[in-house]
Protein backbone atom coordinates (compact mmCIF):
# COMPACT_ATOMS: atom_id res chain seq x y z
CA UNK A 1 0.00 0.00 0.00
CA UNK A 2 2.76 2.42 0.94
CA UNK A 3 4.90 1.67 -2.09
CA UNK A 4 1.89 2.19 -4.34
CA UNK A 5 1.47 5.73 -2.98
CA UNK A 6 5.14 6.45 -3.64
CA UNK A 7 4.64 5.51 -7.26
CA UNK A 8 1.49 7.61 -7.71
CA UNK A 9 1.84 10.98 -5.94
CA UNK A 10 -1.80 11.98 -6.50
CA UNK A 11 -2.86 8.86 -4.61
CA UNK A 12 -1.45 10.27 -1.36
CA UNK A 13 -4.10 13.01 -1.38
CA UNK A 14 -6.99 10.69 -2.24
CA UNK A 15 -9.51 10.35 0.61
CA UNK A 16 -10.19 6.68 -0.13
CA UNK A 17 -6.48 5.90 0.04
CA UNK A 18 -6.12 7.79 3.32
CA UNK A 19 -9.06 5.88 4.82
CA UNK A 20 -7.58 2.60 3.61
CA UNK A 21 -4.21 3.48 5.12
CA UNK A 22 -5.83 4.41 8.44
CA UNK A 23 -7.81 1.16 8.47
CA UNK A 24 -4.62 -0.76 7.73
CA UNK A 25 -2.84 0.88 10.67
CA UNK A 26 -5.79 0.16 12.96
CA UNK A 27 -5.82 -3.47 11.84
CA UNK A 28 -2.14 -3.80 12.70
CA UNK A 29 -2.77 -2.34 16.16
CA UNK A 30 -5.71 -4.69 16.82
CA UNK A 31 -3.72 -7.67 15.60
CA UNK A 32 -0.83 -6.83 17.93
CA UNK A 33 -3.26 -6.44 20.83
CA UNK A 34 -4.95 -9.77 20.10
CA UNK A 35 -1.59 -11.54 19.86
CA UNK A 36 -0.64 -10.12 23.25
CA UNK A 37 -3.96 -11.23 24.78
CA UNK A 38 -3.55 -14.69 23.26
CA UNK A 39 -0.08 -15.06 24.77
CA UNK A 40 -1.37 -13.87 28.15
CA UNK A 41 -4.21 -16.41 28.00
CA UNK A 42 -1.76 -19.21 27.31
CA UNK A 43 0.40 -18.07 30.23
CA UNK A 44 -2.62 -17.95 32.56
CA UNK A 45 -3.68 -21.45 31.48
CA UNK A 46 -0.19 -22.84 32.03
CA UNK A 47 -0.01 -21.24 35.48
CA UNK A 48 -3.42 -22.68 36.39
CA UNK A 49 -2.15 -26.16 35.53
CA UNK A 50 0.27 -25.83 38.42
CA UNK A 51 -2.26 -24.73 41.07
CA UNK A 52 -4.43 -26.92 43.26
CA UNK A 53 -7.20 -28.04 42.80
CA UNK A 54 -7.13 -27.37 39.06
CA UNK A 55 -3.89 -29.29 38.70
CA UNK A 56 -5.56 -32.46 39.99
CA UNK A 57 -8.43 -32.14 37.52
CA UNK A 58 -6.04 -31.20 34.71
CA UNK A 59 -3.87 -34.23 35.43
CA UNK A 60 -6.91 -36.51 35.47
CA UNK A 61 -8.14 -35.14 32.14
CA UNK A 62 -4.61 -35.20 30.68
CA UNK A 63 -4.41 -31.46 30.06
CA UNK A 64 -0.98 -30.45 28.86
CA UNK A 65 1.06 -27.30 28.89
CA UNK A 66 0.59 -25.10 25.81
CA UNK A 67 3.04 -23.01 23.84
CA UNK A 68 1.95 -19.78 22.22
CA UNK A 69 2.39 -20.33 18.50
CA UNK A 70 2.24 -16.86 17.04
CA UNK A 71 4.11 -16.42 13.80
CA UNK A 72 6.11 -13.24 13.36
CA UNK A 73 5.30 -10.90 10.53
Amino acid sequence: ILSLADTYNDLKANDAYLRLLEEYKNTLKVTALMRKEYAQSIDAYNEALLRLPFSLVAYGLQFTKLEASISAE
Side-chain angles (χ1 to χ4, degrees), residues 11-23:
L11 188 59
K12 289 182 182 179
N14 188 322
D15 286 339
Y17 171 76
L18 295 175
R19 285 193 307 271
L20 177 64
L21 189 59
E22 191 63 34
E23 187 65 31

Side-chain angles (χ1 to χ4, degrees), residues 17-70:
Y17 171 76
L18 295 175
R19 285 193 307 271
L20 177 64
L21 189 59
E22 191 63 34
E23 187 65 31
Y24 175 71
K25 289 178 183 178
N26 288 338
T27 301
L28 290 178
K29 288 178 187 176
V30 169
T31 302
L33 178 63
M34 293 298 110
R35 285 177 185 217
K36 182 178 178 181
E37 286 185 18
Y38 170 73
Q40 289 173 341
S41 297
I42 297 293
D43 290 342
Y45 168 81
N46 287 336
E47 288 176 16
L49 286 177
L50 302 175
R51 282 190 244 129
L52 288 172
F54 186 77
S55 62
L56 298 174
V57 174
Y59 178 76
L61 296 175
Q62 299 178 348
F63 288 6
T64 58
K65 186 175 180 179
L66 298 176
E67 294 292 326
S69 58
I70 301 173

